[in-house]
Amino acid sequence: MSIDLHTHSSASDGTDSPAALVAAAAAAGLDVVALTDHDTTAGWSTAAEARPAGLVVVPGMELSCRWFPADEPPMSVHLLAYLFDPEHPGLAAERARLRTERLTRGERIATNLAGAGYPVVWGEIVERSGGGVVGRPHIALALVEAGVVESVDHAFATLLSHRSPHYVTKADTDVLDGIRLVRAAGGVPVFAHGLATSRGRVVGDAAIRAMAEAGLLGLEVDHPDHTPEQRAHLRELADELGLIRTGSSDYHGTNKTTAIAACTTEPDQYAAIVTAGTGCAPFAD
Ligand code: AMP
Ligand code: ZN
Ligand code: FE
Ligand code: FE
């Protein structure tokens, strides 16, 4: 069994349509793929309809969250959520709030860039996102097309970095509230790429323990952005705290160089997610 539990389609900031994504998953030899677009379930129905026979599609999402340390500014953290009820009012309202937040924040970044003389037009960026969830990758593509940077990676390393003067932060969900909301909706919350220092500051073990106390059920251990040491540490923490361990690619189509199925989840860990998720069922034969 080959299982990848973290992928993005064009419903957020990936480049494959949900239909193309499930086809790519099958072509890569996956038995199970989870669709985890940022702050939306918009891709679920198309992914379900386009699902090739024999492939299981796990409906999910990656919720944009923040951890509030005692004596430092808040940190961005990502919470994967699987098999939650898409109609749960509290969680649906929070997803909608985050999407609005992305629009106002994206516009502020684009305005900053335009004000500094970079030829980006917010209206065009939104249009090109296809009515999906807007994120920095969409702004990065506009910068690539304008010839300002040579690649999306280059844009993230420079003008769109959280250290850039043009960067604007988003008012993401307090991760402890996010965990409780996902659980209330029958979902399975898993802390995504928790130690990926390449993305910025990361939380310490105390934060992960606090998340576990709030109802976190899993840690994403194997992720392309984690070093072998970071994976080993997360694996130990998961064992100590009794949490599910996942491994996933965080595939974004051509917006990132990572291939689908680059990291995978062990079948017994996936089975634990299916058992814990009561908000909806995987799409399967
Ligand atoms: P945002 O959610 O708008 O803050 O943008 C962050 C998103 O961009 C996350 O989904 C990341 O996976 C993605 N991302 C981060 N770094 C890169 C990169 N170098 N290339 C492409 N996408 C990236
Ligand atoms: Zn993304
Ligand atoms: Fe993420
Ligand atoms: Fe992701």
Side-chain angles (χ1 to χ4, degrees), residues 203-220:
V203 304
D205 291 1
I208 295 177
R209 290 202 170 87
M211 290 184 213
E213 254 170 56
L216 186 75
L217 292 178
L219 296 178
E220 190 175 51

Side-chain angles (χ1 to χ4, degrees), residues 158-169:
T158 55
L159 291 170
L160 296 179
S161 145
H162 58 93
R163 290 186 215 90
S164 160
H166 311 294
Y167 181 77
V168 177
T169 175

Side-chain angles (χ1 to χ4, degrees), residues 6 8 36 38 62 78 193 199 250 252 256:
H6 185 168
H8 297 268
T36 54
H38 299 282
E62 187 173 17
H78 289 176
H193 48 71
R199 290 165 172 261
D250 203 355
H252 277 71
K256 277 194 187 173

Side-chain angles (χ1 to χ4, degrees), residues 3 32 41 47 55 86-87 90 92 100 111 172 203 283:
I3 304 162
V32 180
T41 59
L55 178 72
E87 315 262 313
T100 305
T111 304
D172 291 335
V203 304
F283 305 125

